[in-house]
Amino acid sequence: MDPNVSKALSLLAAKFESEGRPIEALHCLHALLLSRLLPDQEAKARVQTGRLMLEHTTNHKEAYKELMAAQLVASSLVGSHCLKCEIFCWLARYHQLQGQINLQVQALNQGLQLCATASSSTERLLLLRWGAFFHAKLASSLWDSGEVLSKIRHATDLGTNYAKQHGMMDMELLFELLHLQLDLVEVQSQASTSSAAPTAFPHVQAPSSTPTAAAASGARDPDTVIKLRFMTLDALMDQMHQNRQGGLPPSVNQAQAEHSCPPLTSPLQLEGFLPYAFMHTSLIQALYELGRGRIDKLIAPSDEGGRRDPLASVHHMRSMLEACRSKPTGYKWLSLPEADAAISMCGAMLSAFYSRPEQAFEQLKIGKAALQGWLEELQVAGPGISERSMDCLGLWVSRTPLVFRLQLCVCEAHLLLSTTQLSKARDAVKEVLTQVRLFPNQLRSMVAPAHLLAGQYAHAVEEWDYAVAHFQAVQQLINHAPTHLLASSFMALTLCCKPGSSAEDMEGAQAAVDALGDTYVELTSAPLGPLGTKGSEPLELVIAQMATALIKYRMGQHQEAHRRLSLALRAAHGRLVHHSLVSTCMTYLVPLLLQMNDLAAADSVVASAHLLARGSLRTICQLHRLLEAVSLAMPRMDRAEKTRADLERDAAQLQAQIAEACTSDAPGHAYVLKFGLAS
């Protein structure tokens, strides 16, 4: 073939790829490989062919053949170290897609050895970039294989030191993000946090750590280590932004870099890398603070009139997401639709805390739409799709979006339950349970939350025995985790609030104590004080404290119950800013105030709770019932009559909602109640 024709085909393939037309690029490369090429030209063409086939087709066996052929040709070349690194990179990617983690690690180690042995070559600066890339990929591959944290930490430490040694600030930032997620996993295994960060590990697309410094300064508290990590990340991003420093050393020729380096090498890519890294850091921080019960950290005053905007942090994260859209980011943590879903989940949780259900539903709608489009693009959406119908690639690429989709559905079901839309809640819970059934391995970590949700639905429709059974199922599935604590607390609350029991029922109180288990012992043996540590008051502990207070009330220890409810109320109002939880605490507090004959305080608490209980028909009914008790105790019969009329109206509405949920789709109702329970 004429050399000019070969050059034209090569240029045309590059043009088609840059325009997002990979199939046309492959046709050009296949035609090019039919001609007689120099060894380095053939190796480059075969690598490009294998890469495009891996990225844009399902014909991975042919891609592997092309990569192995490229490796065979490249082995005869003197030098061309960056080309050989690229071959190892895509061979590792092939093995990852096939689930062959050991072979993936082997290819990455071979790439690292090549970078070390060729460090004195003319390609030294580019090989340094490849070395950092292989270090990062080794850490992420160990994460994917489920390796112990100590080995993943060691690999990440090596990468951090490598990046610092060679002045690669972007790679240092990436390794700090890897360390941050390892810190969060360790904290999650040691403490009760309700919302851990997403478990996807950052993957570089190609191109001494903070814990050591923290230990040297005496900061051994996990929360302090994580705060230091966030400070380090913020400082690195600020410095990169000020210096406009990309990953590529200035002395490297730009045209050469575009064809022989890992993707995160061009200073122009800073435009995508920095917003993506900022969004990555901010999202993890938001989820972490939500889990620790520090909602006040995420609520910033608005510019208009000083009003607090609960979604200010969400808007900022979404602006960063938009800033890196259609731009190369240099590494992948979550796909943009997955990140959009995670941001939407944060927005929904913050809106729900502030009793803004319409805003919360809108956030969930945004997230679900983004995920649905992404699942369709991955060809893992639609009727009949399940684990059994997926191939190996489908199972791999869908593992994260499926979890996010389920979490959004769980959030939606919780919102519907809290606003007493019981029929819609039943359908939402049914959808959650169906997804868990269709993807039992992909969603196995969500089985316990699914039972918890089914128990909450059963409680809402007054199926008390089913509620207790689902909460017990959670306890059997999970130990020493936030979900286990929630299940224990909800079971204790169900046993305490179950109709037909007397105010002081020692047998029922003992059953609630047994349900709470060790948590009850820990809460009652410790001195009364703020929940959690260092200002961290997780939602689960507040609910557990409420359950403990009700148990004390059932035991006749009214002063003790009052003090514990007051603590829970202070946490729910001051730090969690959880309006619906505040109104619930208040409804539990009123009987105690009546018992203590503090009628004025009871009247005030009921009025305040009524304002916060918007949308929750069950809470409103309970408040009216309490208000009636307060009114009858006071010489104001006109208000008592009005209260009785309101109570009768709202109680009728609630019973109608329960009846509709039970009968409008009786099979669906039964499916939710009996899901996963022994017949």
Side-chain angles (χ1 to χ4, degrees):
M1 185 181 292
D2 190 312
N4 290 329
V5 176
S6 299
K7 185 176 181 180
L9 284 171
S10 180
L11 292 173
L12 195 57
K15 181 176 183 296
F16 280 136
E17 183 180 356
S18 67
E19 293 175 350
R21 300 161 65 184
I23 304 304
E24 289 87 339
L26 281 170
H27 289 321
C28 294
L29 290 169
H30 285 145
L32 179 62
L33 288 170
L34 293 175
S35 63
R36 186 181 296 275
L37 300 171
L38 294 175
D40 62 329
Q41 294 174 332
E42 181 183 353
K44 289 177 182 178
R46 292 193 182 280
V47 170
Q48 190 178 0
T49 302
R51 173 174 59 79
L52 289 174
M53 293 180 77
L54 278 180
E55 288 186 309
H56 301 289
T57 75
T58 57
N59 196 356
H60 292 170
K61 289 185 178 179
E62 287 301 317
Y64 179 67
K65 288 180 181 179
E66 292 291 350
L67 292 171
M68 292 302 294
Q71 188 177 47
L72 181 62
V73 174
S75 63
S76 64
L77 298 174
V78 177
S80 300
H81 301 297
C82 287
L83 175 62
K84 295 172 183 176
C85 284
E86 191 174 356
I87 295 171
F88 285 127
C89 165
W90 291 106
L91 282 172
R93 175 61 175 160
Y94 166 79
H95 293 307
Q96 180 188 28
L97 291 174
Q98 300 302 309
Q100 301 166 341
I101 303 298
N102 290 336
L103 293 177
Q104 179 193 8
V105 170
Q106 180 181 326
L108 294 172
N109 278 320
Q110 288 174 329
L112 266 179
Q113 292 170 8
L114 176 62
C115 292
T117 56
S119 58
S120 60
S121 73
T122 56
E123 299 174 287
R124 177 180 177 276
L125 290 176
L126 301 179
L127 289 173
L128 289 177
R129 297 292 310 172
W130 274 111
F133 163 74
F134 287 130
H135 274 297
K137 292 298 291 183
L138 271 172
S140 60
S141 64
L142 290 173
W143 175 280
D144 290 337
S145 67
E147 191 56 83
V148 294
L149 288 180
S150 58
K151 287 189 177 181
I152 305 172
R153 180 78 75 183
H154 177 68
T156 309
D157 282 335
L158 291 176
T160 304
N161 295 333
Y162 186 95
K164 286 181 177 179
Q165 179 183 351
H166 299 295
M168 290 179 279
M169 194 176 296
D170 58 331
M171 294 302 295
E172 184 183 348
L173 175 61
L174 177 64
F175 284 116
E176 288 295 341
L177 284 167
L178 300 182
H179 272 302
L180 172 61
Q181 291 195 218
L182 291 172
D183 294 338
L184 289 169
V185 170
E186 290 179 350
V187 168
Q188 187 181 12
S189 64
Q190 296 169 7
S192 176
T193 57
S194 63
S195 296
T199 55
F201 209 58
H203 289 268
V204 191
Q205 290 176 335
S208 121
S209 66
T210 301
T212 304
S217 64
R220 297 183 178 181
D221 175 59
D223 197 46
T224 304
V225 171
I226 289 174
K227 285 181 181 178
L228 289 173
R229 189 79 67 188
F230 281 126
M231 291 170 61
T232 302
L233 287 165
D234 289 341
L236 281 170
M237 285 188 284
D238 286 344
Q239 190 173 349
M240 287 182 68
H241 183 74
Q242 291 170 7
N243 298 342
R244 304 301 296 171
Q245 176 183 340
L248 187 67
S251 57
V252 179
N253 178 271
Q254 177 65 40
Q256 178 191 14
E258 289 179 355
H259 298 286
S260 56
C261 278
L264 185 56
T265 51
S266 166
L268 296 176
Q269 292 200 346
L270 194 64
E271 295 179 7
F273 174 79
L274 272 181
Y276 188 80
F278 182 87
M279 180 274 298
H280 183 171
T281 306
S282 300
L283 182 53
I284 288 183
Q285 189 167 16
L287 290 167
Y288 179 69
E289 300 296 0
L290 280 169
R292 303 296 284 179
R294 294 191 287 245
I295 309 303
D296 53 327
K297 298 281 187 182
L298 305 175
I299 309 297
S302 174
D303 294 335
E304 301 177 4
R307 293 184 61 190
R308 292 165 70 82
D309 180 7
L311 295 185
S313 58
V314 171
H315 296 325
H316 195 45
M317 285 188 284
R318 192 156 272 135
S319 69
M320 292 297 101
L321 189 67
E322 292 302 321
C324 61
R325 203 176 291 277
S326 303
K327 295 176 184 175
T329 58
Y331 79 100
K332 179 184 177 182
W333 174 51
L334 299 174
S335 67
L336 297 189
E338 291 162 0
D340 205 351
I343 293 171
S344 297
M345 193 156 49
C346 285
M349 292 170 70
L350 288 169
S351 299
F353 275 27
Y354 263 75
S355 295
R356 299 182 182 181
E358 297 82 5
Q359 200 174 54
F361 283 123
E362 183 60 32
Q363 288 293 318
L364 292 175
K365 183 179 178 182
I366 293 171
K368 291 176 78 173
L371 272 185
Q372 184 61 27
W374 179 234
L375 288 168
E376 289 174 358
E377 186 177 334
L378 296 175
Q379 299 180 348
V380 289
I385 294 292
S386 67
E387 276 186 12
R388 290 189 174 186
S389 65
M390 289 184 181
D391 58 13
C392 182
L393 177 61
L395 291 171
W396 177 260
V397 299
S398 66
R399 68 196 192 286
T400 302
L402 284 174
V403 171
F404 274 118
R405 183 177 68 176
L406 189 68
Q407 288 177 331
L408 288 173
C409 291
V410 169
C411 282
E412 183 179 32
H414 280 304
L415 271 173
L416 291 167
L417 284 171
S418 67
T419 53
T420 328
Q421 302 180 56
L422 297 184
S423 294
K424 291 182 178 179
R426 176 204 60 217
D427 295 339
V429 177
K430 181 181 175 182
E431 173 62 22
V432 169
L433 302 180
T434 300
Q435 288 184 37
V436 170
R437 180 177 58 81
L438 291 175
F439 303 96
N441 293 305
Q442 301 281 72
L443 301 177
R444 63 182 178 274
S445 64
M446 298 298 293
V447 174
H451 273 293
L452 184 68
L453 187 60
Q456 290 171 285
Y457 170 77
H459 182 106
V461 296
E462 300 180 355
E463 295 281 0
W464 312 109
D465 292 337
Y466 279 114
V468 170
H470 279 292
F471 297 144
Q472 287 174 335
V474 177
Q475 290 181 320
Q476 293 168 5
L477 288 166
I478 293 181
N479 287 318
H480 308 297
T483 306
H484 183 280
L485 179 55
L486 276 176
S488 302
S489 302
F490 286 146
M491 194 193 310
L493 288 170
T494 300
L495 293 168
C496 284
C497 301
K498 187 175 178 180
S501 56
S502 60
E504 295 185 8
D505 177 5
M506 295 304 294
E507 184 178 347
Q510 186 57 51
V513 169
D514 294 340
L516 267 181
D518 293 341
T519 303
Y520 178 82
V521 176
E522 292 169 6
L523 287 175
T524 53
S525 60
L528 277 175
L531 301 172
T533 57
K534 291 188 179 294
S536 171
E537 296 172 303
L539 178 67
E540 300 87 5
L541 280 178
V542 176
I543 296 175
Q545 186 73 283
M546 288 169 51
T548 304
L550 286 187
I551 292 171
K552 292 295 183 182
Y553 176 67
R554 293 283 291 275
M555 291 178 173
Q557 301 174 23
H558 299 150
Q559 293 289 345
E560 177 78 2
H562 181 271
R563 286 196 292 269
R564 292 188 178 279
L565 270 179
S566 298
L567 275 178
L569 180 60
R570 193 177 306 133
H573 181 267
R575 186 170 296 279
L576 285 175
V577 201
H578 197 311
H579 288 185
S580 62
L581 190 59
V582 170
S583 63
T584 303
C585 279
M586 287 178 169
T587 61
Y588 294 151
L589 189 58
V590 172
L592 286 168
L593 294 172
L594 289 174
Q595 192 80 26
M596 297 161 65
N597 205 32
D598 193 345
L599 302 182
D603 188 53
S604 175
V605 168
V606 170
S608 299
H610 203 280
L611 289 174
L612 294 174
R614 291 174 293 179
S616 178
L617 194 59
R618 180 175 296 280
T619 304
I620 289 172
C621 282
Q622 191 171 355
L623 286 168
H624 276 311
R625 193 172 292 114
L626 293 170
L627 187 57
E628 181 182 33
V630 174
S631 300
L632 290 173
M634 289 183 169
R636 295 172 60 180
M637 296 307 295
D638 56 334
R639 200 177 85 172
E641 289 300 323
K642 182 180 183 302
T643 300
R644 185 176 289 106
D646 290 342
L647 172 61
E648 290 174 355
R649 183 196 64 229
D650 291 338
Q653 290 180 10
L654 177 59
Q655 290 305 314
Q657 285 266 13
I658 293 174
E660 182 183 357
C662 297
T663 59
S664 60
D665 181 8
H669 173 74
Y671 175 78
V672 171
L673 294 180
K674 298 178 181 179
F675 177 83
L677 300 178
S679 55

